Amino acid sequence: MIKSLLIANRGEIACRIMATCRALGIRTIAVYSDADAYAKHVREADEAVHIGPAPAADSYLRADKILAAAKAAGADAIHPGYGFLSENAEFAEDVRNAGLVWVGPPPSAIRSMGLKDEAKRIAEEAGVPVLPGYRGEAQDLKTLTAAAKDVGYPLLIKAIAGGGGRGIRLVAKASALKDELESAVREAEAAFGDGRVMLEKLVEQPRHIEVQVFGDSHGNVVHLFERDCSLQRRRQKVLEEAPAPGMPDDVRKAMTDAAVKLATAVKYEGAGTVEFIVDGSKPLSTESFWFLEMNTRLQVEHPVTEMVTGTDLVEWQLHVAGGGELPLAQDEITLRGHAIEARICAEDPSEGFRPGAGLILEFGLLEPVDGELVRWDTGFETGDRVPSSYDSMIAKLIVSGDDRDEAVDRLIDTLAHTQLVGVPSNAGFLRRCAMSDAFLDATHHVNWIAEQGDALTVAPDEHELASILAVSDIQLDAPEAAAPWDIKDGWRSNGAPMHRAAVAVGADSDWIDPDAWDLPEDIPFPLVTDISPRRYAVTTAGDSVLVEVPDYDADVEALLGGDAVKAPMPGKVIAMNVKVGDTVTHGQTLAVMEAMKMEHSLSAPRDGVVEAVGGTVGEQVAEGVVLVQLVEEA
């Protein structure tokens, strides 16, 4: 029985594993880099050990540091989560050689499935259908050109050691083969240290369907049905669901049987996923799916399987790693209802899914949820800082229903109530995907998002306008003014009243007249969270913005004579952007403070020259401390 577990990961998956450990009474040990010193997974662990600088190569990918942390903290087992070292056979061996329990499959199984060509050879021997392609040792251009002709165009070039969509190129015609080969090899060498590739026939409207398998050290292997992960962007999954829409019983049996055969062939133990590529241009059949790869770890999307089977796969992992038999036999695992997972990321879909970093000003679900129907797995909370060093996924929203229609409706509604402000958010994009005809009809495929362009990635202008109007209404509905002259109705002699409010979104600030705007009736009502007296987090249909109310009186006061930039409240200096002698302009950000779990940018009250700097990065300062002193430019 495992009593003390080190989790060699961070963020959402570390917190997820800890939740099961708490229920089982297992002590948890977190590891963290400089960037994660105050992270949620560190706060929730029973003990935490620092393992290095922010770059993963210097911390989360350092097997020696993780093993040293396990020894120092008295761990008797290591769970790798997903990503980082989770599919590193050498690390698994090192853990076992150190006398620790490895919560994962045997190193031999990791190696067998780690190279795509070897995995497909084993699959073929096990009787699992595999796509036509070239997986030979020879890697010269002449051999690959001849092989490509045999496979036929269009085809895919795939890095043998690949993963995460890297080292993959689509080749539509023979004339493009040489350039795409060179590009794929360069990327594979940089990412994996192995430039070898294989060729594979392209399925032009592919669906991605995978089977959850589980094995133990007693020779038992079962499946927990399938998941559909066909909604992807750049080969990264966006929405995942279980079971797969339109899955006939005979195809389900053929696919799950094939997955179990493969897992049995490599003497698999623990949680694993066998992935299949499926021809989405026609109804599912026993002749239209082929083995893609096997992931020898817990998948990001495992919660949808848990919700439709009533299991805890992390608990299964810990039980099996401790030498136990599988908790259930195959005929005891049943499928009920439908579940969908949405990956909440700090990224801007309108800018090519550019990842964002910074302080989270507001984050969470804006309405009470039924824990049986809606699950929220997250590694971040309001006030946490999203580092730029790692993957942009910060949470997962998982919903369930009696059937797919009910689950989709619940997903759409819950995403509308998902608020993330301070860093970019993809919640609105996810909601538009879920509301699309293609997703509702389950006719989407792996390439579908790329074909839609701005229709999914760019938030409608009405959403931002609705957010602005919501804050304007709040300003205009403020308590009655002390004097008639302060009422915001724009009164003038012989004129009709006007209602105006000053608001700012991003760098734009303007006066607007709420009475002059008509919004479409189908725009969901904006949901407003007041962060401070002049800052509001507003979410409209999943698209969140920060709306601020400018303080023009303060700006005028500063312009008329302010030379000192002071700390507005007690807090920590997290950035000092100027030094003595610098010339600055009005409005330029001179310093940034962190106070009350929020960032506060301190701007220059006028043009001038920095005469003195009174604070250093990392320093805790009191309210009123002069951080920057200005003088007029000579």
Side-chain angles (χ1 to χ4, degrees):
M1 176 64 184
I2 295 171
K3 296 181 180 179
S4 183
L5 180 73
L6 182 140
I7 302 162
N9 219 294
R10 61 179 298 279
E12 172 273 325
I13 187 57
C15 294
R16 157 71 188 94
I17 295 166
M18 288 175 193
T20 290
C21 288
R22 280 193 296 273
L24 297 177
I26 297 174
R27 173 174 167 262
T28 57
I29 302 157
V31 292
Y32 65 93
S33 69
D34 290 348
D36 284 334
Y38 304 102
K40 185 173 187 283
H41 78 279
V42 173
R43 300 194 300 268
E44 293 193 348
D46 294 309
E47 183 176 347
V49 181
H50 177 250
I51 56 170
D58 298 324
S59 50
Y60 295 106
L61 289 172
R62 285 287 299 272
D64 57 334
K65 291 186 176 182
I66 291 171
L67 288 168
K71 181 179 179 180
D76 52 33
I78 291 181
H79 194 308
Y82 51 70
F84 294 136
L85 295 169
S86 63
E87 294 182 279
N88 186 306
E90 287 71 28
F91 179 56
E93 281 184 340
D94 290 344
V95 170
R96 290 183 167 190
N97 291 338
L100 301 173
V101 174
W102 166 250
V103 185
S108 58
I110 298 175
R111 285 195 178 91
S112 295
M113 295 293 102
L115 295 176
K116 287 182 168 58
D117 59 342
E118 175 67 4
K120 294 198 173 185
R121 183 192 65 77
I122 295 172
E124 283 182 310
E125 289 183 356
V128 178
V130 174
L131 273 174
Y134 172 77
R135 296 182 289 277
E137 288 294 325
Q139 295 284 302
D140 60 279
L141 180 60
K142 181 179 179 180
T143 299
L144 291 171
T145 301
K149 184 177 180 181
D150 291 338
V151 172
Y153 293 94
L155 57 80
L156 286 177
I157 301 169
K158 288 188 174 183
I160 286 174
R166 291 170 296 180
I168 298 179
R169 296 293 185 275
L170 189 156
V171 185
K173 54 187 179 180
S175 60
L177 181 66
K178 181 176 182 294
D179 289 345
E180 296 295 352
L181 269 172
E182 291 174 350
S183 176
V185 169
R186 280 195 303 270
E187 185 173 71
E189 287 176 340
F192 316 113
D194 186 342
R196 292 176 298 157
V197 297
M198 56 187 241
L199 307 179
E200 192 170 82
K201 181 66 178 173
L202 178 70
V203 178
E204 296 196 63
Q205 287 193 354
R207 287 178 65 179
H208 180 121
I209 300 178
E210 60 190 32
V211 176
Q212 177 72 61
V213 294
F214 226 103
D216 63 25
S217 59
H218 304 276
N220 302 306
V221 178
V222 298
H223 71 80
L224 291 93
F225 301 100
E226 81 282 352
R227 301 183 286 255
D228 190 308
C229 308
S230 299
L231 198 71
Q232 301 183 12
R233 63 165 185 83
R234 299 173 187 167
R235 307 189 192 284
Q236 298 294 313
K237 299 165 187 174
V238 173
L239 296 178
E240 303 105 344
E241 57 185 309
M247 174 65 76
D249 289 342
D250 62 332
V251 180
R252 173 173 290 131
K253 185 176 188 315
M255 193 176 288
T256 54
D257 283 354
V260 170
K261 283 180 183 177
L262 181 61
T264 302
V266 294
K267 296 180 173 58
Y268 201 81
E269 298 173 22
T273 300
V274 180
E275 301 189 346
F276 295 95
I277 197 77
V278 180
D279 187 347
S281 66
K282 52 190 175 185
L284 294 172
S285 75
T286 56
E287 306 299 320
S288 65
F289 71 88
W290 302 272
F291 171 70
L292 180 62
E293 63 183 2
M294 184 177 189
N295 288 306
T296 52
R297 54 173 167 80
L298 193 68
Q299 291 280 89
V300 175
E301 57 271 21
H302 76 273
V304 294
T305 294
E306 294 180 323
M307 292 191 88
V308 297
T309 59
T311 57
D312 182 333
L313 296 185
V314 173
E315 182 177 353
W316 279 38
Q317 283 186 298
L318 297 171
H319 179 72
V320 166
E325 292 192 43
L326 292 175
L328 297 175
Q330 188 65 71
D331 59 3
E332 296 175 306
I333 303 170
T334 58
L335 185 63
R336 58 178 185 271
H338 201 94
I340 309 174
E341 175 181 287
R343 301 188 182 195
I344 309 297
C345 298
E347 62 186 14
D348 188 342
S350 68
E351 294 189 15
F353 296 93
R354 174 184 57 81
L359 188 70
I360 298 177
L361 300 176
E362 196 67 38
F363 184 36
L365 300 179
L366 295 176
E367 64 174 11
V369 297
D370 184 340
E372 294 293 318
L373 301 174
V374 178
R375 172 173 158 180
W376 184 249
D377 286 11
T378 178
F380 293 84
E381 297 174 331
T382 298
D384 285 343
R385 184 174 294 279
V386 178
S388 60
S389 306
Y390 314 113
D391 185 86
S392 63
M393 190 185 79
I394 61 175
K396 299 183 306 198
L397 173 64
I398 310 101
V399 302
S400 65
D402 290 337
D403 55 29
R404 187 175 190 266
D405 289 344
E406 184 177 306
V408 171
D409 288 344
R410 183 162 289 120
L411 177 67
I412 291 169
D413 180 63
T414 310
L415 283 170
H417 292 79
T418 299
Q419 188 168 73
L420 175 57
V421 171
V423 294
S425 169
N426 69 335
F429 159 76
L430 294 170
R431 189 172 184 271
R432 287 186 285 279
C433 287
M435 293 178 65
S436 67
D437 290 342
F439 188 76
L440 293 173
D441 298 338
T443 57
H444 59 288
H445 50 83
V446 170
N447 302 319
W448 178 77
I449 286 178
E451 296 171 356
Q452 304 309 303
D454 293 347
L456 297 173
T457 57
V458 178
D461 291 340
E462 293 85 355
H463 288 190
E464 182 173 295
L465 177 58
S467 298
I468 292 171
L469 292 178
V471 173
S472 299
D473 285 343
I474 291 172
Q475 292 298 303
L476 295 173
D477 288 341
E480 187 173 345
W485 320 112
D486 295 327
I487 299 174
K488 300 176 181 178
D489 64 355
W491 183 89
R492 59 196 185 281
S493 177
N494 301 317
M498 290 190 308
H499 296 83
R500 294 196 307 164
V503 294
V505 176
D508 299 325
S509 177
D510 203 356
W511 288 94
I512 70 165
D513 180 1
D515 296 333
W517 297 92
D518 291 319
L519 289 173
E521 293 184 0
D522 62 342
I523 296 296
F525 191 78
L527 304 169
V528 183
T529 303
D530 55 328
I531 298 175
S532 70
R534 291 183 174 273
R535 305 177 93 195
Y536 299 86
V538 192
T539 298
T540 306
D543 293 310
S544 296
V545 295
L546 178 66
V547 181
E548 301 188 79
V549 179
D551 189 345
Y552 292 114
D553 290 340
D555 287 347
V556 170
E557 183 180 340
L559 189 63
L560 290 176
D563 288 328
V565 178
K566 301 178 181 179
M569 63 189 75
K572 179 180 179 181
V573 179
I574 61 173
M576 182 60 69
N577 300 332
V578 293
K579 61 183 183 299
V580 173
D582 285 353
T583 300
V584 301
T585 58
H586 173 245
Q588 179 180 338
T589 299
L590 306 183
V592 182
M593 285 184 62
E594 184 175 280
M596 299 176 66
K597 292 189 175 182
M598 293 187 294
E599 283 189 5
H600 304 268
S601 296
L602 308 182
S603 303
R606 60 175 178 80
D607 295 351
V609 176
V610 177
E611 180 183 47
V613 173
T616 58
V617 174
E619 180 183 358
Q620 292 284 344
V621 296
E623 180 178 354
V625 169
V626 176
L627 297 178
V628 179
Q629 183 72 39
L630 300 178
V631 294
E632 290 187 11
E633 188 172 6

